[in-house]
Amino acid sequence: TQLLEQSPQFLSIQEGENLTVYCNSSSVFSSLQWYRQEPGEGPVLLVTVVTGGEVKKLKRLTFQFGDARKDSSLHITAAQPGDTGLYLCAPQGDYKLSFGAGTTVTVRA
Amino acid sequence: DTGVSQNPRHKITKRGQNVTFRCDPISEHNRLYWYRQTLGQGPEFLTYFQNEAQLEKSRLLSDRFSAERPKGSFSTLEIQRTEQGDSAMYLCASSLEGYGYTFGSGTRLTVV
């Protein structure tokens, strides 16, 4: 069973600050997806990382996949209130996603 | 196509009643998934269909839970004899051969 840990569990920052959230596993990921979920809504796919050492950028969001493909991070530069939400990582298996518990990010105006 | 649609958005039911939720996936997607999410947790996989075939259902939480996708299009998730512990957000997602995962907005179930 793959153990998936996301940290921190909660993060509250002021608008304009930077933040990083982490996703770690005891096993190697074949691929990993990051999602953002707003209250009362379903998760929305942000990015899929596949290759060890890969870095992907999506505007102010930077995603890194560890060289050993056992960890990943999401860095947000100059956070805005619209970045508020639950950030979830999910390794993709043969037919399903297995989500971590997520990091709840609150960006205060 | 406006994405994955779930109905109802909210359902309040008395303990012991049966409830049914509907999911309409993106029309081009052949796979449909059901997940459950409780407060403070990520979504938990329940079951999935490829076209009309239910290929994995061992994660359905008990025999009170069942899902159908009769014509390979929309799907329903039924919970019989609801219990307070069934209160959660039920999410549906669809994909094309495991790519392009798209979630619906979910159905929030409250059992009183």
Side-chain angles (χ1 to χ4, degrees), chain A residues 42-60:
Chain A
V44 175
L45 179 64
L46 297 174
V47 78
T48 302
V49 287
V50 178
T51 305
E54 184 176 7
V55 177
K56 282 192 173 179
K57 292 193 175 183
L58 186 67
K59 297 183 180 178
R60 294 176 294 100

Side-chain angles (χ1 to χ4, degrees), chain B residues 7-8 11 18-22 76-79:
Chain B
N7 289 287
K11 178 71 177 179
N18 299 343
V19 294
T20 300
F21 310 139
R22 176 177 171 126
T76 58
L77 177 69
E78 181 182 16
I79 309 174

Side-chain angles (χ1 to χ4, degrees), chain A:
Chain A
T1 301
Q2 185 174 62
L3 295 176
L4 193 65
E5 182 178 338
Q6 288 195 247
S7 62
Q9 187 176 1
F10 300 98
L11 190 56
S12 179
I13 62 170
Q14 199 70 31
E15 181 177 5
E17 294 181 339
N18 302 333
L19 69 96
T20 303
V21 299
Y22 301 92
C23 177
N24 295 284
S25 173
S26 57
S27 305
V28 174
F29 304 129
S30 57
S31 67
L32 182 79
Q33 299 185 352
W34 281 95
Y35 290 80
R36 181 172 66 218
Q37 184 176 24
E38 297 184 10
E41 298 295 329
V44 175
L45 179 64
L46 297 174
V47 78
T48 302
V49 287
V50 178
T51 305
E54 184 176 7
V55 177
K56 282 192 173 179
K57 292 193 175 183
L58 186 67
K59 297 183 180 178
R60 294 176 294 100
L61 278 60
T62 301
F63 302 85
Q64 288 192 305
F65 201 17
D67 291 339
R69 292 187 291 130
K70 297 175 72 172
D71 60 277
S72 182
S73 64
L74 160 59
H75 181 79
I76 301 179
T77 302
Q80 299 175 359
D83 296 324
T84 292
L86 176 66
Y87 287 82
L88 296 157
C89 67
Q92 185 164 4
D94 290 340
Y95 56 83
K96 68 179 183 181
L97 299 172
S98 300
F99 287 89
T103 295
T104 299
V105 172
T106 303
V107 182
R108 305 184 305 274

Side-chain angles (χ1 to χ4, degrees), chain B residues 35-56:
Chain B
Y35 286 79
R36 186 179 87 145
Q37 187 175 24
T38 54
L39 200 61
Q41 299 297 319
E44 174 189 11
F45 172 81
L46 295 178
T47 187
Y48 98 106
F49 295 84
Q50 177 143 325
N51 300 312
E52 66 273 13
Q54 189 174 16
L55 298 185
E56 175 57 58

Side-chain angles (χ1 to χ4, degrees), chain B residues 40-90:
Chain B
Q41 299 297 319
E44 174 189 11
F45 172 81
L46 295 178
T47 187
Y48 98 106
F49 295 84
Q50 177 143 325
N51 300 312
E52 66 273 13
Q54 189 174 16
L55 298 185
E56 175 57 58
K57 58 181 181 179
S58 64
R59 296 292 185 170
L60 286 170
L61 301 166
S62 78
D63 58 7
R64 297 183 297 105
F65 288 70
S66 62
E68 293 184 343
R69 194 183 184 196
K71 296 183 179 179
S73 56
F74 74 92
S75 176
T76 58
L77 177 69
E78 181 182 16
I79 309 174
Q80 295 182 329
R81 305 181 303 280
T82 53
E83 302 172 356
Q84 285 189 321
D86 297 332
S87 296
M89 174 77 91
Y90 291 85

